[in-house]
Amino acid sequence: MNWLRHDPENGLMSVEVVTLLYMLVTAVMTLVWWKDINHPMDMMVWRMGALLFMVLANMIYHVYPCRLVILLRVAPLLLCLIQWYPETYEFCKQWPYQDHVFAAIDWRLFGCQPSMEMEKWLPGTAWYEAFSLGYYSYYYMMMATLLFYLLARYEDFQRASFVFLASFFLFYFIFEFLPVAGPQYYYAAIGTEAARTASFPEVGHFFVQHPDQILPLQVKGPFSQLVLAAQETGERPTAAFPSSHVGMATVTMLLAWQTRNRWLLWLSMPFYLLLVVATVYLKAHYAIDSIAGLATGIAFFALTNWLYPCAQRTFRLKN
């Protein structure tokens, strides 16, 4: 690939448009709940910084329109997802938590709490480490697929990055208005014995006062240590329903399938299957969260693929 080849195109990229829309909507939400949010000024500064970056990147592209600058315009917007995720907690804590609803759904569907029982069904360090590997591979599956598009399917890179980013934002919007902390938080709040006996009390705004009350993740090897490190860095009592781990991993697998590269698809498949089970096994999600994550991942993939040509026609002069 000739990274420095001149490839001029006018207008905003679709990933820039969807990022601007997300920042605008969440900026309004920040202003509405200013007094109830921790560090709202920092959140607004982040948005101003992202906006300034997009202006500068577009100015650079205007001077030297090449594929390397296209990468400069896209990659940081994807990395901003790391910043937007903790903010979902700041928004969702305005509403009472709904974990009692989803824990009860699991009980009705399965007659137990799968997130409590799976470790008994598949005991031992080998299983625990395998599922920890699957859970942690989430980040690398997404990175590998987008990198494949960049290097081997450049003509589809912008579509793939739009589908990926827009799907993430759709999940974030759900999390911001549907607060579900997940089993690792809810069981710590109500006690594991209550969960085992199908007693699922409402906890209201409990996690606003106790955001760090979480069942400790067991460390049995290097992969569970990596998962623990990731949780300690950015985990919040938010984003449990639907599971974006399952949903975005499903979007990633569908993007891999669209490349028609069987090696990418089949090399990713074992990690994907481990990840889907790991979300429940490691108590990050209720089983219904993961089932819903699969369904919404497929739905968001279809929706964002349908929206992409509309965005291109509206904001660019050339596909």
Side-chain angles (χ1 to χ4, degrees), residues 202-269:
E202 298 184 33
V203 295
H205 295 274
F206 176 84
F207 298 114
V208 178
Q209 288 79 36
H210 306 85
D212 299 322
Q213 184 161 337
I214 183 172
L215 290 180
L217 183 74
Q218 299 179 58
V219 176
K220 298 187 177 183
F223 297 118
S224 51
Q225 180 63 60
L226 288 171
V227 173
L228 177 62
Q231 286 191 345
E232 289 177 340
T233 300
E235 194 58 58
R236 301 288 191 281
T238 180
F241 182 89
S243 168
S244 60
H245 265 73
V246 173
M248 286 309 303
T250 300
V251 169
T252 300
M253 291 298 292
L254 290 169
L255 285 171
W257 170 74
Q258 281 194 333
T259 67
R260 298 293 188 266
N261 184 291
R262 62 180 182 178
W263 289 107
L264 177 64
L265 183 65
W266 291 111
L267 285 174
S268 301
M269 185 62 73

Side-chain angles (χ1 to χ4, degrees), residues 14 22 25 40 50 63 91 152 174 208 223:
S14 52
Y22 182 80
V25 174
V63 174
F91 296 124
I174 294 175
V208 178
F223 297 118

Side-chain angles (χ1 to χ4, degrees), residues 7-312:
D7 191 18
E9 298 187 26
N10 295 320
L12 290 172
M13 296 177 63
S14 52
V15 289
E16 292 170 329
V17 172
V18 75
T19 299
L20 286 169
L21 289 172
Y22 182 80
M23 290 197 305
L24 175 61
V25 174
T26 53
V28 172
M29 292 162 58
T30 302
L31 292 173
V32 170
W33 292 311
W34 188 273
K35 294 181 179 179
D36 302 315
I37 288 175
N38 291 326
H39 310 297
M41 183 58 71
D42 292 347
M43 293 166 64
M44 297 301 286
V45 168
W46 254 96
R47 281 154 180 76
M48 294 302 296
L51 178 61
L52 178 61
F53 167 80
M54 280 189 268
V55 171
L56 292 175
N58 274 271
M59 291 173 62
I60 294 171
Y61 184 78
H62 181 74
V63 174
Y64 200 94
C66 66
R67 293 182 175 184
L68 183 61
V69 183
I70 287 287
L71 177 60
L72 173 66
R73 291 170 67 178
V74 174
L77 300 184
L78 299 175
L79 291 174
C80 277
L81 289 166
I82 299 171
Q83 169 65 24
W84 308 140
Y85 168 74
E87 291 184 0
T88 63
Y89 167 67
E90 296 300 326
F91 296 124
C92 81
K93 71 182 185 182
Q94 311 305 319
W95 325 104
Y97 277 81
Q98 300 300 311
D99 285 78
H100 61 287
V101 173
F102 296 96
I105 290 173
D106 264 16
W107 187 273
R108 293 190 188 99
L109 288 176
F110 304 104
C112 66
Q113 289 291 288
S115 52
M116 299 193 72
E117 303 301 328
M118 285 193 71
E119 196 174 347
K120 297 178 183 178
W121 302 338
L122 298 170
T125 299
W127 281 115
Y128 200 92
E129 280 295 286
F131 290 127
S132 296
L133 168 62
Y135 194 80
Y136 192 73
S137 67
Y138 172 68
Y139 310 102
Y140 298 97
M141 286 174 57
M142 296 186 295
M143 189 188 310
T145 301
L146 290 176
L147 188 62
F148 183 88
Y149 271 95
L150 180 64
L151 298 177
R153 296 287 190 276
Y154 182 78
E155 65 280 3
D156 290 323
F157 173 67
Q158 291 185 44
R159 178 191 61 80
S161 57
F162 172 81
V163 167
F164 180 84
L165 191 59
S167 296
F168 245 121
F169 285 150
L170 288 171
F171 277 109
Y172 282 7
F173 276 129
I174 294 175
F175 301 152
E176 286 158 0
F177 292 95
L178 181 60
V180 183
Q184 58 190 343
Y185 286 99
Y186 186 59
Y187 296 165
I190 68 171
T192 54
E193 188 58 35
R196 286 195 179 94
T197 56
S199 176
F200 307 120
E202 298 184 33
V203 295
H205 295 274
F206 176 84
F207 298 114
V208 178
Q209 288 79 36
H210 306 85
D212 299 322
Q213 184 161 337
I214 183 172
L215 290 180
L217 183 74
Q218 299 179 58
V219 176
K220 298 187 177 183
F223 297 118
S224 51
Q225 180 63 60
L226 288 171
V227 173
L228 177 62
Q231 286 191 345
E232 289 177 340
T233 300
E235 194 58 58
R236 301 288 191 281
T238 180
F241 182 89
S243 168
S244 60
H245 265 73
V246 173
M248 286 309 303
T250 300
V251 169
T252 300
M253 291 298 292
L254 290 169
L255 285 171
W257 170 74
Q258 281 194 333
T259 67
R260 298 293 188 266
N261 184 291
R262 62 180 182 178
W263 289 107
L264 177 64
L265 183 65
W266 291 111
L267 285 174
S268 301
M269 185 62 73
F271 298 100
Y272 172 72
L273 295 175
L274 284 171
L275 184 151
V276 170
V277 179
T279 57
V280 182
Y281 189 94
L282 298 178
K283 300 181 179 64
H285 293 278
Y286 306 104
I288 189 61
D289 299 343
S290 297
I291 294 169
L294 175 62
T296 50
I298 294 170
F300 290 170
F301 178 81
L303 175 61
T304 52
N305 266 288
W306 177 77
L307 287 174
Y308 176 71
C310 303
Q312 285 294 90

